[in-house]
Amino acid sequence: MELFLLIFFCLCLFFPLLHLIHCLPWFREEDERVKRNPKSEKGISILVPCYNEAGIIETSVHSMRSLAYTNFEVIYINDGSTDETFSLLHHHLNLKQCWRAPLGELSHKDVEKVYQSALYPNIYVVNKVNGGKADALNAGIEYAVKELVVTLDADTILTAPSLTVVNEKFADPDVIAAGGMIHVLQTKTSNPLKKLSLAGTNMLIRVQMLDFLKAFYVTKLSLARFQALAIISGAFGIFTKKALIDVGGYRSSVGEDIDITLKIQRYIAKQKKKKILLITDAISYTELPETWKDLFKQRIRWQKSYVDCLVHFRYFFVKTVVTKAVSFFYIIESFFVGILAAYFTVGFFITNAFLNVDFVYVQFIIVYLSYIYLFNFIYNLLALRQVKRQGFSFEKGDWFRLFLTVLYDVFIHRFVTMYIVMFGTIAYFFNRDWQKVSRTGRKYEMDPVSQIPAYKREV
């Protein structure tokens, strides 16, 4: 048992250290270094699935006016909402029924009507029977007319230049999918491309922000460079429409974002030049849970979605675990180290606490926990340094809050996360449903009107 624990312990240190080193600028891929200057804008269809989004939909609609891009459309897919989502869309957009033919490639629940905004002619609403998020996205793809598809959550706000950056990266014909960078909406400032603020946030928001910064600016960046990205977040994903159709669209599951990413990874397994990127300059903000209840809902769903895809893509993983980086990291890092190690560690401590309480055991516990605490403290600080290297800084007065957040993360939150991983893994086999996280209903500051393209201000 001690040997297995030692092996898992070493692996638990190896992978974070690997990502922390590999995310540094020295390891930038050609896609990150080369700046393309496309002569035209690719058409982009932004899909926003909505189910009971009355608390955030006004913020979403207003945010679409600040995008510094011309050739795009927005399609809100109202997935049978039972609240005021549709009436609010109508109020803010002045909707008029229009006709638009679907592609007829992907299956989805019946679409009742399609509407176009009289105020902003590039914004549409597809009103359909409830079928879930994956079903809503399939319907959106069916009615999208542009070459690229951007998928957003209803609470995601894009920064003004984000679509321009996407257009530049997709000028490479080998890029067929990408993930954008996601920050926490509650930390957004009037300078969303450079500044973050912790003022007015509670510890739960701050530690989630720390999770996101580590995930995107360290782990995901490293995995993307290995061509091992397994999750393009549903909050901000970019795909060629052709790729989405070729893989059969979204599968109804507890984690449609992991599923579609792995579908595309499987799709490009035999197309060596095709690739998936993480676009570090395409910045978005999304709202995170502000209560423990909603946090558990969200994180348990994330863990269920991981297990669901582990089961669904098991043959792909087994066949390619030594030939494709995404399979290696999904199985070795995420499954063996991320899940099994948690059970082994807890089992070891509980067993020895009852059967083998002696001085040597107590010494081992002290040394083990001290090393883990110290490593994670240093890891957090280096991750924050990486975020600063990418051009972001915090408001004055935030550094003490950050220090307290790091301490909370090291001594408390990492054990909460371990519990969620263990509970969510087991829960998947008993209940595959997931509950929607509540929206705060807060009004957020949008980018200045000066950033809005003139052609939109004149509409």
Side-chain angles (χ1 to χ4, degrees):
M1 183 67 172
E2 288 83 355
L3 178 60
F4 280 113
L5 189 64
L6 181 61
I7 293 173
F8 279 124
F9 176 68
C10 292
L11 288 174
C12 287
L13 295 179
F14 170 75
F15 283 105
L17 193 58
L18 172 67
H19 295 316
L20 200 56
I21 294 172
H22 196 232
C23 75
L24 296 175
W26 309 325
F27 298 96
R28 286 186 301 171
E29 294 291 305
E30 182 181 356
D31 299 294
E32 299 173 74
R33 297 191 303 267
V34 175
K35 293 293 183 182
R36 301 174 185 272
N37 296 301
K39 296 180 179 179
S40 61
E41 291 183 341
K42 289 183 180 292
I44 298 177
S45 295
I46 301 176
L47 307 185
V48 187
C50 305
Y51 177 73
N52 292 353
E53 302 289 358
I56 198 71
I57 201 65
E58 180 181 355
T59 298
S60 175
V61 170
H62 287 176
S63 73
M64 295 303 173
R65 300 181 304 167
S66 65
L67 299 177
Y69 203 76
T70 304
N71 189 12
F72 80 101
E73 65 177 0
V74 182
I75 303 177
Y76 288 97
I77 307 101
N78 182 42
D79 190 41
S81 296
T82 57
D83 66 354
E84 297 179 342
T85 297
F86 181 76
S87 60
L88 286 172
L89 284 169
H90 181 72
H91 172 74
H92 292 293
L93 296 174
N94 189 9
L95 298 176
K96 305 295 182 183
Q97 188 175 347
C98 69
W99 184 87
R100 179 178 278 204
L103 293 173
E105 296 283 348
L106 305 176
S107 60
H108 53 80
K109 296 289 186 180
D110 291 341
V111 170
E112 295 174 347
K113 291 179 182 179
V114 179
Y115 300 86
Q116 184 177 18
S117 171
L119 301 176
Y120 313 103
N122 64 329
I123 301 182
Y124 298 82
V125 174
V126 172
N127 201 35
K128 64 179 288 293
V129 175
N130 178 258
K133 187 175 180 180
D135 190 85
L137 286 167
N138 284 340
I141 296 167
E142 281 285 298
Y143 285 90
V145 299
K146 305 295 186 180
E147 179 182 352
L148 299 181
V149 170
V150 169
T151 62
L152 303 181
D153 286 342
D155 59 350
T156 299
I157 293 174
L158 297 178
T159 54
S162 54
L163 295 187
T164 302
V165 176
V166 166
N167 183 62
E168 186 252 317
K169 295 300 181 183
F170 275 79
D172 180 350
D174 290 327
V175 177
I176 64 169
M181 303 301 276
I182 302 175
H183 288 264
V184 178
L185 187 54
Q186 287 94 328
T187 68
K188 184 176 180 291
T189 67
S190 58
N191 185 7
L193 298 175
K194 295 292 181 182
K195 280 282 185 180
L196 302 172
S197 175
L198 300 180
T201 61
N202 59 28
M203 182 59 76
L204 195 59
I205 290 296
R206 293 173 203 162
V207 77
Q208 290 180 84
M209 177 213 67
L210 192 59
D211 281 346
F212 268 54
L213 294 181
K214 289 186 291 185
F216 281 89
Y217 287 96
V218 178
T219 308
K220 284 181 179 289
L221 182 55
S222 171
L223 289 172
R225 289 173 178 174
F226 282 121
Q227 277 299 298
L229 201 60
I231 308 173
I232 294 175
S233 175
F236 185 16
I238 313 105
F239 311 87
T240 63
K241 187 169 68 172
K242 180 181 184 304
L244 290 174
I245 293 172
D246 286 348
V247 301
Y250 287 80
R251 174 176 67 95
S252 293
S253 66
V254 290
E256 73 291 326
D257 49 359
I258 304 182
D259 183 80
I260 196 66
T261 310
L262 291 174
K263 273 187 172 183
I264 291 179
Q265 286 282 13
R266 186 173 59 185
Y267 172 70
I268 67 176
K270 297 181 180 179
Q271 304 179 52
K272 301 302 181 182
K273 291 185 178 181
K274 301 300 181 183
K275 51 194 170 183
I276 300 173
L277 303 182
L278 183 69
I279 307 178
T280 56
D281 293 331
I283 309 296
S284 69
Y285 285 79
T286 195
E287 189 176 71
L288 292 188
E290 295 190 355
T291 66
W292 279 104
K293 180 180 178 181
D294 282 330
L295 177 65
F296 272 87
K297 284 181 187 178
Q298 183 189 69
R299 297 299 176 92
I300 293 296
R301 179 176 73 85
W302 287 359
Q303 187 60 25
K304 286 181 178 180
S305 66
Y306 167 82
V307 178
D308 179 71
C309 287
L310 180 67
V311 174
H312 185 75
F313 292 93
R314 60 189 181 277
Y315 298 120
F316 169 68
F317 290 138
V318 170
K319 290 179 181 178
T320 61
V321 68
V322 295
T323 61
K324 196 163 176 59
V326 66
S327 299
F328 173 81
F329 282 99
Y330 204 93
I331 296 296
I332 305 301
E333 181 183 18
S334 299
F335 179 62
F336 282 102
V337 177
I339 297 178
L340 291 188
Y343 288 110
F344 271 112
T345 303
V346 172
F348 174 81
F349 285 130
I350 292 176
T351 301
N352 283 274
F354 286 102
L355 302 179
N356 188 30
V357 180
D358 56 27
F359 181 69
V360 175
Y361 173 70
V362 173
Q363 276 189 319
F364 175 79
I365 294 292
I366 293 173
V367 172
Y368 174 82
L369 290 179
S370 298
Y371 194 72
I372 288 295
Y373 289 146
L374 180 61
F375 177 83
N376 280 280
F377 183 78
I378 295 173
Y379 182 89
N380 274 282
L381 294 183
L382 292 177
L384 287 172
R385 180 68 182 89
Q386 166 70 0
V387 173
K388 185 177 181 180
R389 187 181 290 114
Q390 293 288 337
F392 279 90
S393 61
F394 288 87
E395 297 280 6
K396 291 182 179 180
D398 279 343
W399 288 106
F400 183 67
R401 297 187 185 100
L402 270 177
F403 178 72
L404 293 179
T405 304
V406 169
L407 292 180
Y408 176 80
D409 178 65
V410 170
F411 290 101
I412 298 176
H413 189 68
R414 70 180 317 272
F415 295 104
V416 174
T417 302
M418 181 183 291
Y419 167 77
I420 290 173
V421 167
M422 297 173 67
F423 179 82
T425 300
I426 295 173
Y428 168 79
F429 295 98
F430 294 92
N431 179 5
R432 300 180 188 180
D433 295 332
W434 60 278
Q435 295 177 305
K436 181 180 172 62
V437 174
S438 303
R439 304 300 187 202
T440 66
R442 185 180 292 111
K443 305 297 181 184
Y444 292 97
E445 179 182 3
M446 295 296 101
D447 291 343
V449 176
S450 60
Q451 295 184 23
I452 301 175
Y455 81 95
K456 289 187 183 178
R457 294 200 298 271
E458 294 170 358
V459 172

Coordinates of all heavy atoms in Angstrom, one line a residue, residues 251-256 258-259 299-314 330 335 339 343 419-434:
R251 N -23.8 15.5 -28.4 CA -24.6 14.4 -27.8 C -25.2 14.8 -26.5 O -24.5 15.5 -25.7 CB -23.6 13.2 -27.5 CG -24.2 12.0 -26.8 CD -23.1 10.9 -26.6 NE -22.0 11.3 -25.8 CZ -22.0 11.0 -24.5 NH1 -23.0 10.3 -23.9 NH2 -20.9 11.3 -23.8
S252 N -26.4 14.5 -26.2 CA -27.1 14.8 -25.0 C -26.4 14.1 -23.8 O -26.4 12.8 -23.8 CB -28.6 14.5 -25.0 OG -29.2 15.3 -25.9
S253 N -25.8 14.8 -23.0 CA -25.0 14.2 -21.8 C -24.9 15.2 -20.7 O -25.4 16.4 -20.9 CB -23.6 13.8 -22.3 OG -22.9 14.9 -22.7
V254 N -24.3 14.8 -19.6 CA -24.1 15.8 -18.5 C -23.0 16.8 -18.8 O -22.8 17.7 -18.1 CB -23.9 15.0 -17.2 CG1 -25.1 14.3 -16.7 CG2 -22.7 14.1 -17.3
G255 N -22.2 16.5 -19.8 CA -21.1 17.4 -20.1 C -20.8 17.5 -21.6 O -19.9 16.9 -22.2
E256 N -21.7 18.3 -22.3 CA -21.6 18.4 -23.7 C -20.3 19.1 -24.2 O -19.8 18.8 -25.3 CB -22.8 19.2 -24.3 CG -22.8 20.7 -24.0 CD -23.0 21.1 -22.6 OE1 -23.7 20.3 -21.9 OE2 -22.4 22.1 -22.2
I258 N -17.1 18.6 -22.9 CA -16.1 17.6 -22.9 C -16.3 16.7 -24.1 O -15.5 16.3 -24.9 CB -16.0 16.8 -21.6 CG1 -15.7 17.7 -20.4 CG2 -14.8 15.8 -21.7 CD1 -15.6 17.0 -19.1
D259 N -17.6 16.3 -24.3 CA -18.0 15.4 -25.3 C -17.6 15.9 -26.7 O -17.1 15.1 -27.5 CB -19.5 15.1 -25.2 CG -20.0 14.0 -26.2 OD1 -19.8 12.8 -25.9 OD2 -20.5 14.4 -27.2
R299 N -19.8 21.8 -9.7 CA -18.6 20.9 -9.7 C -19.0 19.4 -9.8 O -18.2 18.6 -10.4 CB -17.8 21.2 -8.5 CG -17.2 22.7 -8.4 CD -16.3 22.9 -9.6 NE -15.8 24.3 -9.6 CZ -14.7 24.7 -9.1 NH1 -13.9 23.8 -8.4 NH2 -14.3 26.0 -9.2
I300 N -20.1 19.1 -9.1 CA -20.5 17.7 -9.2 C -20.9 17.3 -10.7 O -20.5 16.3 -11.2 CB -21.7 17.4 -8.3 CG1 -21.3 17.5 -6.8 CG2 -22.3 16.0 -8.6 CD1 -20.3 16.5 -6.4
R301 N -21.5 18.3 -11.4 CA -21.8 18.0 -12.8 C -20.5 17.9 -13.6 O -20.5 17.1 -14.5 CB -22.7 19.2 -13.4 CG -23.0 19.0 -14.8 CD -23.9 20.1 -15.3 NE -23.3 21.4 -15.5 CZ -22.6 21.7 -16.5 NH1 -22.4 20.9 -17.6 NH2 -22.0 22.9 -16.6
W302 N -19.5 18.7 -13.3 CA -18.3 18.7 -14.1 C -17.6 17.3 -13.9 O -17.2 16.7 -14.8 CB -17.3 19.7 -13.6 CG -17.6 21.1 -14.0 CD1 -18.7 21.5 -14.8 CD2 -16.9 22.3 -13.6 NE1 -18.7 22.9 -14.9 CE2 -17.6 23.4 -14.2 CE3 -15.8 22.6 -12.9 CZ2 -17.2 24.7 -14.1 CZ3 -15.3 23.9 -12.7 CH2 -16.0 24.9 -13.3
Q303 N -17.7 16.8 -12.6 CA -17.1 15.5 -12.4 C -17.9 14.3 -13.1 O -17.3 13.4 -13.6 CB -17.0 15.2 -10.9 CG -16.2 14.0 -10.5 CD -14.8 14.0 -11.0 OE1 -14.2 15.0 -11.3 NE2 -14.2 12.8 -11.2
K304 N -19.2 14.5 -13.0 CA -20.0 13.5 -13.7 C -19.8 13.5 -15.2 O -19.7 12.4 -15.8 CB -21.5 13.8 -13.5 CG -22.0 13.4 -12.1 CD -23.5 13.7 -12.0 CE -24.1 13.4 -10.6 NZ -25.6 13.7 -10.5
S305 N -19.6 14.7 -15.8 CA -19.3 14.7 -17.2 C -18.0 14.1 -17.6 O -17.8 13.5 -18.6 CB -19.4 16.2 -17.7 OG -18.3 17.0 -17.1
Y306 N -17.0 14.3 -16.7 CA -15.7 13.6 -16.9 C -15.9 12.1 -17.0 O -15.4 11.4 -17.9 CB -14.7 14.0 -15.8 CG -13.5 13.1 -15.9 CD1 -12.4 13.4 -16.8 CD2 -13.4 12.0 -15.1 CE1 -11.3 12.6 -16.9 CE2 -12.3 11.2 -15.2 CZ -11.2 11.4 -16.1 OH -10.2 10.6 -16.2
V307 N -16.6 11.6 -16.0 CA -16.7 10.1 -15.9 C -17.6 9.6 -17.1 O -17.3 8.6 -17.7 CB -17.4 9.7 -14.6 CG1 -17.6 8.2 -14.5 CG2 -16.6 10.1 -13.4
D308 N -18.6 10.4 -17.5 CA -19.4 10.0 -18.6 C -18.6 9.9 -19.9 O -18.8 8.9 -20.6 CB -20.5 11.1 -18.8 CG -21.4 10.8 -20.0 OD1 -22.2 9.8 -19.9 OD2 -21.3 11.5 -21.0
C309 N -17.7 10.8 -20.1 CA -16.9 10.7 -21.3 C -15.8 9.7 -21.2 O -15.4 9.1 -22.2 CB -16.3 12.1 -21.6 SG -17.4 13.3 -22.2
L310 N -15.3 9.4 -20.0 CA -14.4 8.3 -19.8 C -15.0 7.0 -20.2 O -14.4 6.2 -20.9 CB -14.0 8.2 -18.3 CG -13.0 7.1 -17.9 CD1 -11.6 7.4 -18.5 CD2 -12.9 7.1 -16.4
V311 N -16.3 6.8 -19.9 CA -17.0 5.6 -20.2 C -17.4 5.6 -21.7 O -17.1 4.6 -22.4 CB -18.3 5.5 -19.4 CG1 -19.2 4.3 -19.9 CG2 -18.0 5.3 -17.9
H312 N -17.9 6.7 -22.2 CA -18.3 6.8 -23.6 C -17.2 6.6 -24.6 O -17.3 6.0 -25.7 CB -19.0 8.1 -23.9 CG -19.7 8.2 -25.2 ND1 -20.8 7.6 -25.6 CD2 -19.3 8.9 -26.3 CE1 -21.1 7.9 -26.8 NE2 -20.2 8.7 -27.3
F313 N -16.0 7.2 -24.3 CA -14.9 7.2 -25.2 C -13.8 6.1 -24.8 O -12.7 6.3 -25.3 CB -14.2 8.6 -25.3 CG -15.1 9.6 -26.0 CD1 -15.9 10.4 -25.2 CD2 -15.1 9.8 -27.4 CE1 -16.7 11.4 -25.8 CE2 -15.9 10.7 -28.0 CZ -16.7 11.5 -27.2
R314 N -14.2 5.2 -24.0 CA -13.2 4.2 -23.5 C -12.4 3.5 -24.6 O -11.2 3.3 -24.4 CB -13.9 3.2 -22.5 CG -15.0 2.4 -23.2 CD -15.7 1.6 -22.1 NE -16.7 0.7 -22.7 CZ -18.0 1.1 -23.0 NH1 -18.3 2.4 -22.9 NH2 -18.8 0.3 -23.5
Y330 N -5.7 12.2 -20.3 CA -7.1 11.9 -19.8 C -7.0 10.7 -18.8 O -7.7 10.7 -17.8 CB -8.0 11.7 -20.9 CG -9.5 12.0 -20.6 CD1 -10.0 13.2 -20.8 CD2 -10.3 11.0 -20.0 CE1 -11.4 13.5 -20.5 CE2 -11.6 11.3 -19.7 CZ -12.2 12.5 -19.9 OH -13.5 12.8 -19.6
F335 N -7.5 10.4 -14.7 CA -8.2 9.3 -14.0 C -7.3 8.7 -12.9 O -7.7 8.7 -11.7 CB -8.5 8.2 -15.1 CG -9.1 7.0 -14.5 CD1 -10.4 7.1 -13.9 CD2 -8.5 5.7 -14.5 CE1 -10.9 5.9 -13.3 CE2 -9.1 4.6 -14.0 CZ -10.3 4.7 -13.4
I339 N -8.4 10.9 -9.8 CA -9.5 10.2 -9.1 C -9.0 9.1 -8.2 O -9.2 9.1 -7.0 CB -10.5 9.6 -10.2 CG1 -11.1 10.8 -11.0 CG2 -11.6 8.8 -9.5 CD1 -12.1 10.3 -12.0
Y343 N -8.8 8.3 -3.8 CA -9.4 7.2 -3.0 C -8.3 6.4 -2.3 O -8.4 6.0 -1.1 CB -10.1 6.2 -4.0 CG -11.4 6.7 -4.5 CD1 -11.6 7.1 -5.8 CD2 -12.5 6.9 -3.7 CE1 -12.8 7.5 -6.3 CE2 -13.7 7.3 -4.1 CZ -13.9 7.7 -5.5 OH -15.0 8.1 -5.9
Y419 N -13.1 16.0 -2.1 CA -14.4 15.4 -1.8 C -15.4 15.4 -3.0 O -16.0 14.4 -3.3 CB -15.0 16.1 -0.6 CG -16.5 15.8 -0.4 CD1 -16.9 14.6 0.2 CD2 -17.5 16.6 -0.8 CE1 -18.2 14.3 0.4 CE2 -18.8 16.3 -0.7 CZ -19.2 15.1 -0.1 OH -20.5 14.8 0.1
I420 N -15.4 16.5 -3.7 CA -16.3 16.6 -4.9 C -15.9 15.6 -5.9 O -16.8 15.0 -6.5 CB -16.2 18.1 -5.4 CG1 -16.9 19.1 -4.5 CG2 -16.9 18.1 -6.8 CD1 -16.8 20.5 -4.9
V421 N -14.6 15.4 -6.2 CA -14.2 14.5 -7.2 C -14.6 13.1 -6.8 O -15.1 12.3 -7.6 CB -12.6 14.5 -7.3 CG1 -12.1 13.3 -8.1 CG2 -12.2 15.8 -8.0
M422 N -14.4 12.7 -5.5 CA -14.8 11.4 -5.1 C -16.3 11.2 -5.1 O -16.8 10.2 -5.5 CB -14.2 11.1 -3.6 CG -12.7 11.2 -3.6 SD -12.1 11.1 -1.9 CE -12.6 9.5 -1.4
F423 N -17.0 12.2 -4.6 CA -18.5 12.1 -4.5 C -19.1 12.1 -5.9 O -20.0 11.3 -6.3 CB -19.1 13.2 -3.7 CG -20.6 13.2 -3.6 CD1 -21.2 12.4 -2.7 CD2 -21.4 13.9 -4.5 CE1 -22.6 12.3 -2.6 CE2 -22.7 13.9 -4.4 CZ -23.4 13.1 -3.5
G424 N -18.6 13.0 -6.8 CA -19.2 13.1 -8.1 C -18.9 11.9 -9.0 O -19.8 11.5 -9.8
T425 N -17.8 11.2 -8.8 CA -17.5 10.0 -9.5 C -18.5 8.9 -9.2 O -19.0 8.2 -10.1 CB -16.0 9.5 -9.2 OG1 -15.1 10.6 -9.6 CG2 -15.7 8.3 -10.0
I426 N -18.7 8.7 -7.9 CA -19.7 7.7 -7.5 C -21.1 8.1 -7.9 O -21.9 7.2 -8.3 CB -19.6 7.5 -6.0 CG1 -18.2 6.9 -5.6 CG2 -20.7 6.5 -5.5 CD1 -17.9 6.8 -4.1
A427 N -21.4 9.3 -7.7 CA -22.8 9.8 -8.0 C -23.2 9.6 -9.5 O -24.4 9.4 -9.8 CB -22.9 11.3 -7.6
Y428 N -22.2 9.6 -10.4 CA -22.5 9.4 -11.8 C -23.2 8.1 -12.0 O -24.1 8.0 -12.9 CB -21.2 9.5 -12.6 CG -21.4 9.0 -14.0 CD1 -22.0 9.8 -15.0 CD2 -21.0 7.7 -14.4 CE1 -22.1 9.4 -16.3 CE2 -21.2 7.2 -15.7 CZ -21.7 8.1 -16.6 OH -21.9 7.6 -17.9
F429 N -22.9 7.1 -11.3 CA -23.4 5.7 -11.6 C -24.8 5.6 -10.9 O -25.4 4.5 -11.2 CB -22.4 4.7 -11.0 CG -21.1 4.7 -11.8 CD1 -20.0 5.3 -11.2 CD2 -21.0 4.1 -13.0 CE1 -18.8 5.3 -11.9 CE2 -19.8 4.1 -13.7 CZ -18.7 4.7 -13.1
F430 N -25.2 6.6 -10.2 CA -26.6 6.5 -9.6 C -27.5 7.5 -10.1 O -28.7 7.3 -10.1 CB -26.4 6.6 -8.0 CG -25.7 5.5 -7.4 CD1 -24.3 5.6 -7.2 CD2 -26.3 4.3 -7.0 CE1 -23.6 4.5 -6.6 CE2 -25.7 3.3 -6.4 CZ -24.3 3.4 -6.2
N431 N -27.0 8.7 -10.5 CA -27.9 9.7 -11.0 C -27.1 10.6 -12.0 O -26.1 11.3 -11.6 CB -28.3 10.6 -9.8 CG -29.2 11.8 -10.2 OD1 -29.6 11.9 -11.4 ND2 -29.6 12.6 -9.3
R432 N -27.5 10.5 -13.2 CA -26.8 11.3 -14.3 C -27.4 12.6 -14.6 O -27.1 13.3 -15.6 CB -26.6 10.4 -15.5 CG -25.8 9.1 -15.2 CD -25.7 8.3 -16.4 NE -25.1 7.0 -16.0 CZ -24.8 6.0 -16.9 NH1 -25.1 6.2 -18.2 NH2 -24.3 4.9 -16.4
D433 N -28.4 13.0 -13.8 CA -29.1 14.3 -14.0 C -28.2 15.4 -13.4 O -27.3 15.1 -12.6 CB -30.4 14.3 -13.4 CG -31.4 13.4 -14.0 OD1 -31.2 13.1 -15.2 OD2 -32.3 12.9 -13.3
W434 N -28.4 16.6 -13.8 CA -27.7 17.7 -13.2 C -28.7 18.9 -13.1 O -29.6 19.1 -13.8 CB -26.5 18.1 -14.0 CG -26.7 18.6 -15.4 CD1 -26.9 17.8 -16.5 CD2 -26.8 19.9 -15.9 NE1 -27.0 18.5 -17.6 CE2 -27.0 19.8 -17.3 CE3 -26.7 21.1 -15.3 CZ2 -27.1 21.0 -18.1 CZ3 -26.8 22.3 -16.1 CH2 -27.0 22.2 -17.5

